[in-house]
């Protein structure tokens, strides 16, 4: 038992000395290729065994012949180990370089394509992560392009919508100033109308900027959907009468919701005005509100004739107006973008679907607890 402990001690001391030296070498070459590190690890393993063997041989006074045999065996093991380490290191390095080239491709705006061929579990996992990152970057670039397109569209519409009333205001003010207005009172009424129109546009822009900046502060309170819809219908009734559109709201459940009453009134008002203006005379705009599995669903259905399928995903985009048949006489295409922003701030979602003869806008909100 004592001899076995001594052998183990001498072997450990010899191997430990080699291991410490190997650790120092690894520290010195830690910035070099993985191939060099693997070669050092293989060499340390073999040399540690050789050092332990030599220490035991010196302590146990082995014969020169036996020591020569052991040394020869260890040397052959060292050759094989080093060759294997070099091959493994070159393979791993080559695979890593392929991954680096593939990563540069999607970093420059392309898509990531994982290199073909076998790989270690770690490199395979890295490939999957790079592929997922590439997909996220592609989606982000697509969203950025869509947002940029919406911004350009919005600027074009705003420029057009501002130029028309401003030109009218300038002409009417000049006529009043020069005293050539045939009916000054009518001119003043028209000026006020145009100023209110511009004020509404500026208000929409301000609201949208708050939404995009995340500065929309909500003051939630418990409100009945029945009361919320009733107030919105009463506010939209004069416009509906003027345009000969019937408002229907007989399928509104008295369901409580925790919302900002002012902001949700704006949501319903925008949806109703949008529906009324796009529904022909003698048409019907219907409002429903009911509890569903996913929460509370508010819907506004109109008789606009429907929206082209390719335009449905863009309806809530900033500045979207669709075809000329659906272009409103006023506004900057911000109403539905504001609707989506306010609804999402309430942790809800807004959607639109075509129905026979028109389309239905749906707002889904979380149901109030209790």
């Amino acid at each position: 038992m004592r001899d076995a402990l001594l052998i183990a001690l001498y072997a450990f001391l010899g191997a430990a000395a080699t291991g410490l030296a190997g650790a120092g070498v690894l520290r010195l070459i830690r910035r070099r290729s993985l191939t060099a590190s693997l070669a050092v690890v293989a060499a340390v393993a073999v040399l540690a065994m050789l050092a332990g063997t030599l220490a035991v041989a010196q302590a146990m006074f082995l014969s020169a012949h036996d020591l020569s045999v052991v040394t020869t065996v260890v040397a052959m093991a060292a050759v094989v180990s080093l060759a294997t380490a070099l091959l493994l290191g070159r393979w791993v390095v080559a695979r890593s370089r392929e991954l680096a080239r593939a990563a540069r491709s999607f970093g420059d705006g392309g898509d990531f394509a994982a290199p073909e061929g076998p790989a270690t579990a770690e490199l395979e996992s890295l490939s999957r992560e790079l592929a997922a990152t590439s997909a996220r970057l592609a989606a982000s670039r697509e969203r950025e392009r869509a947002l940029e397109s919406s911004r350009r569209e919005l600027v074009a519409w705003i420029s057009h919508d501002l130029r028309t009333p401003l030109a009218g205001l300038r002409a009417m003010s000049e006529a009043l100033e020069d005293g050539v207005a045939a009916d000054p009172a009518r001119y003043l009424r028209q000026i006020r109308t145009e100023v209110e129109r511009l004020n509404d546009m500026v208000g929409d822009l301000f609201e949208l900027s708050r939404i995009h900046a995340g500065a929309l502060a909500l003051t939630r309170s418990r409100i009945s959907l029945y009361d919320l819809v009733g107030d919105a219908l009463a506010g939209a009734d004069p416009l509906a009468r003027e345009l000969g559109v019937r408002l229907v709201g007989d399928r509104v459940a008295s369901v409580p919701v925790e919302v900002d009453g002012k902001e949700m009134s704006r949501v319903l008002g925008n949806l109703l005005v949008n529906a009324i203006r796009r529904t022909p005379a003698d048409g019907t705009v219907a409002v429903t509100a009911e509890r569903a599995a996913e929460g509370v669903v508010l819907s506004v259905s109109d008789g606009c004739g429907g929206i082209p399928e390719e335009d449905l995903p863009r309806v809530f985009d900033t500045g979207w107006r669709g075809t000329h048949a659906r272009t409103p006489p006023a506004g900057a295409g911000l109403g539905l973008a504001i609707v989506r922003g306010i609804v999402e701030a309430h942790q809800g979602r807004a959607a639109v679907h075509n129905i026979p003869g028109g389309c239905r806008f749906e707002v889904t909100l979380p149901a109030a607890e209790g």
Side-chain angles (χ1 to χ4, degrees):
M1 183 65 182
R2 183 173 178 276
D3 290 342
L5 290 176
L6 286 175
I7 291 174
L9 177 61
Y10 283 119
F12 173 76
L13 291 175
T18 305
L20 289 175
V25 174
L26 285 175
R27 181 174 178 80
L28 292 175
I29 66 169
R30 62 185 181 276
R31 298 184 183 278
R32 295 183 178 274
S33 172
L34 178 64
T35 303
S37 297
L38 287 175
V40 170
V41 170
V44 166
V46 175
L47 291 176
M49 182 174 64
L50 178 59
T53 302
L54 292 175
V56 171
Q58 291 297 325
M60 304 302 292
F61 304 104
L62 294 180
S63 67
H65 177 268
D66 292 341
L67 183 59
S68 173
V69 171
V70 171
T71 304
T72 302
V73 172
V74 171
M76 293 303 100
V79 171
V80 174
S81 299
L82 287 173
T84 303
L86 290 173
L87 288 175
L88 175 61
R90 290 175 63 85
W91 179 76
V92 173
V93 168
R95 182 70 177 184
S96 300
R97 288 173 178 169
E98 290 175 359
L99 279 177
R101 286 194 294 270
R104 280 196 297 270
S105 69
F106 83 79
D108 295 335
D111 294 327
F112 175 79
E116 298 181 356
T120 64
E122 292 78 10
L123 291 178
E124 193 66 36
S125 175
L126 179 59
S127 295
R128 289 194 297 269
E129 288 297 327
L130 288 173
T133 302
S134 175
R136 289 193 294 270
L137 284 175
S140 178
R141 285 193 293 266
E142 187 61 32
R143 286 194 300 271
E144 183 63 28
R145 283 193 290 267
L147 286 173
E148 185 59 31
S149 176
S150 295
R151 291 190 194 100
R152 289 196 298 268
E153 208 169 61
L154 174 62
V155 170
W157 283 114
I158 287 291
S159 301
H160 175 271
D161 285 351
L162 287 176
R163 187 180 297 112
T164 301
L166 288 174
L169 287 171
R170 180 178 181 179
M172 288 183 287
S173 63
E174 288 177 350
L176 289 171
E177 185 179 9
D178 296 339
V180 297
D183 187 355
R186 184 174 66 83
Y187 274 49
L188 290 172
R189 287 194 299 272
Q190 185 63 29
I191 288 175
R192 179 170 181 174
T193 299
E194 294 297 339
V195 169
E196 289 178 351
R197 176 182 172 188
L198 290 173
N199 183 68
D200 290 341
M201 292 173 61
V202 172
D204 284 347
L205 284 170
F206 178 69
E207 182 78 0
L208 195 62
S209 68
R210 287 201 304 157
I211 291 171
H212 285 172
L216 183 63
L218 300 178
T219 304
R220 297 174 183 264
S221 60
R222 195 179 184 89
I223 304 174
S224 170
L225 275 182
Y226 186 85
D227 296 334
L228 193 65
V229 173
D231 292 343
L233 289 173
D237 187 63
L239 178 63
R241 289 180 181 274
E242 178 185 346
L243 299 179
V245 176
R246 293 186 299 275
L247 287 179
V248 178
D250 53 4
R251 290 179 53 199
V252 179
S254 184
V255 180
V257 287
E258 293 279 349
V259 296
D260 186 310
K262 179 181 177 181
E263 297 297 341
M264 285 308 302
S265 293
R266 182 163 195 164
V267 166
L268 282 173
N270 285 358
L271 290 178
L272 285 171
V273 169
N274 181 72
I276 292 169
R277 285 178 173 168
R278 289 159 176 77
T279 299
D282 295 330
T284 300
V285 171
V287 182
T288 64
E290 56 190 358
R291 189 185 295 273
E294 61 272 22
V296 177
V297 179
L298 276 165
S299 67
V300 177
S301 303
D302 60 32
C304 67
I307 301 173
E309 291 294 329
E310 63 272 15
D311 285 344
L312 283 176
R314 297 196 56 214
V315 167
F316 293 99
D317 287 354
T318 301
W320 182 86
R321 294 190 180 188
T323 62
H324 292 292
R326 291 180 55 82
T327 301
L334 305 180
L336 293 179
I338 291 173
V339 165
R340 180 174 64 179
I342 294 175
V343 170
E344 290 180 351
H346 284 84
Q347 287 77 52
R349 68 177 186 274
V352 60
H353 311 282
N354 280 326
I355 58 175
C359 58
R360 180 172 65 246
F361 288 85
E362 293 183 350
V363 171
T364 304
L365 298 170
E369 298 180 359

